[in-house]
Amino acid sequence: SDVCSSDLVASISAQALPATEPLVITTDTPIITAEKKHLLVFEDSSARLTVNEVMEQTAAFKPVSEITPVNSFSQYWILQKFRNSLPHDHQLRIDPTGWSSIDSYVIDDTGKPTQLKPSGFYRVSYSPLVEVNPFLPGSAKTLSQFTVFTLSPGQEIFLLTRVKSGGNQPGKTFSLGIYDHVKFLEMRRYGIYIEGALLGVLLALTIFGLFSAYNNNDKASFAYSVWMLTGFVQIMSTYMPEGPRVAEFFINMEDIRYRHHYLFYPVFALFGYLQAVCYAIFAATFLNVKKHAPWLYKLTIAYVIIYALHYLFTSNVQHNLPQKPLWLSVGSLTLVLLLSFFAVAFMRYRNGHSAARFFMFAIVPYLIFRSIFILGLAGVPSPFTLMEPVGVGFLLQNPSTAQAIGLCCEAIIMALAVISRTRWLQQQLATNMEEQKNLVENQNRVLEATVAEQIGRAHV
């Protein structure tokens, strides 16, 4: 009786849902689209209401323009309508669009809400297909990892979506990304190829750094290899336009919570922070700032400590702080540190350290892409948004992808700097050995002359 009562309430509520124009799916609808004009949003400040309770509060839905800035302690309900004007079934997918958690319900003409697969930017989706034997008949029953729903020809439905934001990177738009599921599955292969190439480069450079460190007993080469390894794992866990690979294929972190948010955030953030810290340690070791620029050595130590504290705060404290102060504080410190490394590298190059030239070349793309990424976290639009969203341009519009490409450019050029530094050290060693050899020979000649002189005096 409780089930029947719940269905009756939902049916009555569905008929009373606010009138809104539908997003009509036609042959001209883009692969990635979004409803922007006819969205209605309801803020649930208690973050406890159920879908049926929300359907009873239709008067509480407001246009997007009347919603205040996103509060990470609230949850929001987004109401939109879809109509399929195509002569065949059409499958759509809901993209997280930056929201930490998404729960969507399809409400058809029966009025009963049907829950779709939960998703979210930090909730992540694990692909169950990686654990399925494709030769067994049960593989056909495996559920999709994506939040998808199907519209029949001429069907019109309401989509009611509950979204929850994190405090570190709150949702920026209530216009959820709606993908043509089948076509985007074909498109995503291009991004996976690009990501695979980046990972291959970083893995090869990690092996190169370890080999160089072993052969030459060089701390800078070892620091380089550690930096490459953290960069490799960072890209694996970064949320590209197609999702994070490590959480999709390797480690099932879906719906696993850590304190007030999902486990994926502290894991994903950890490698991002580590990559930045390991780069600073590598740069300080490469330029030997402890000896040649003690002030920069102290700044590097302060940078590592501040990054560690910032990570602990963002991973463990639930907050609703403004984004610009939160990210521009560490972002400004990062830019100061990178520019300081460039200045010291120039100084060392002027003083005869030829390998510092490659360091200066390599730090430029890293500085550019890192700045774009940090400013993006603070809400500053990326210049890559001006590019045509086709091919690489589409990938670069994602700040994580742009940072990954910048990291690989930096890593490749910096490999030349490591090789050049090794040769420079070998030349310095050879020069020192030659000078010591000449010094010993001179001392031997002086000693022989002294002995001969003393022998001659003895005979006299």
Side-chain angles (χ1 to χ4, degrees), residues 11 52 86 136 142 154 160 213 252 261 299 317 338 350 417 447-448:
S11 178
N52 287 333
L86 299 174
L136 296 179
T142 304
L160 185 58
N252 187 359
H261 47 204
L299 179 61
V317 179
L338 294 179
R350 291 284 300 270
L447 181 59
E448 290 174 357

Side-chain angles (χ1 to χ4, degrees), residues 142-215:
T142 304
L143 297 176
S144 171
Q145 71 182 95
F146 303 106
T147 304
V148 296
F149 62 98
T150 303
L151 291 176
S152 303
Q155 185 181 18
E156 184 173 282
I157 59 99
F158 279 101
L159 182 67
L160 185 58
T161 304
R162 176 175 57 199
V163 294
K164 185 74 169 60
S165 175
N168 298 317
Q169 291 176 279
K172 295 180 174 61
T173 176
F174 291 102
S175 299
L176 300 177
I178 305 298
Y179 291 7
D180 183 327
H181 183 55
V182 175
K183 290 183 179 179
F184 192 77
L185 284 179
E186 295 292 327
M187 284 183 59
R188 77 193 293 259
R189 293 186 301 173
Y190 181 70
I192 292 176
Y193 295 156
I194 296 294
E195 188 176 354
L198 298 179
L199 291 173
V201 168
L202 293 181
L203 181 60
L205 292 176
T206 300
I207 297 173
F208 155 75
L210 290 172
F211 181 77
S212 177
Y214 177 78
N215 278 347

Side-chain angles (χ1 to χ4, degrees), residues 110-135:
T110 67
K112 182 178 180 179
T114 301
Q115 185 173 11
L116 304 179
K117 184 184 183 300
S119 62
F121 190 83
Y122 294 122
R123 198 171 188 165
V124 297
S125 297
Y126 180 71
S127 176
L129 285 173
V130 300
E131 298 176 353
V132 169
N133 184 339
F135 297 99

